[in-house]
Amino acid sequence: MTKNIAQQAAFILLDATVAHGADTSNGHPMNLAVSRLNDVPGLVTVTDAGNSRTVDVSPIVNASIVSTYVLAFWLAQEREVPIEQVFVELRDTHETLWNE
């Protein structure tokens, strides 16, 4: 995986995150941003081996992990708390969001 592919994935995911709360009266900007993932060559690799198919989405996953870590790190620094506390709060927030 090249840095460029992961970097492009990170930028697209950030754009999608920014668009998440945007006005949807003219469509869904988040969906438009995420659809750009299809335009990045090598971002998702599908390999056929006989009767099985393998899909590699590691560039997207890696970009998400690094972006989340950096943002959590900055928030922890700003709050002057351990980064683990930020991750606990993020996990708790996800529990709430997905239960709605």
Side-chain angles (χ1 to χ4, degrees):
M1 169 179 52
T2 66
K3 175 183 174 184
N4 188 38
I5 292 173
Q7 185 180 52
Q8 288 179 62
F11 289 151
I12 291 169
L13 293 170
L14 285 173
D15 291 345
T17 303
V18 169
H20 174 71
D23 178 17
T24 59
S25 59
N26 293 323
H28 296 280
M30 187 177 80
N31 292 344
L32 177 62
V34 171
S35 72
R36 290 184 11 240
L37 290 169
N38 294 324
D39 300 332
V40 179
L43 185 63
V44 176
T45 305
V46 178
T47 307
D48 285 320
N51 292 332
S52 67
R53 181 173 282 174
T54 303
V55 179
D56 179 13
V57 295
S58 58
I60 298 170
V61 173
N62 291 341
S64 299
I65 291 169
V66 171
S67 294
T68 301
Y69 185 87
V70 169
L71 292 171
F73 177 79
W74 289 341
L75 182 58
Q77 281 189 319
E78 184 66 28
R79 289 182 174 178
E80 298 180 354
V81 298
I83 193 171
E84 293 81 9
Q85 182 176 330
V86 173
F87 287 132
V88 167
E89 291 175 30
L90 182 58
R91 184 180 299 274
D92 289 345
T93 300
H94 272 287
E95 295 261 345
T96 303
L97 288 175
W98 298 113
N99 288 332
E100 292 178 353

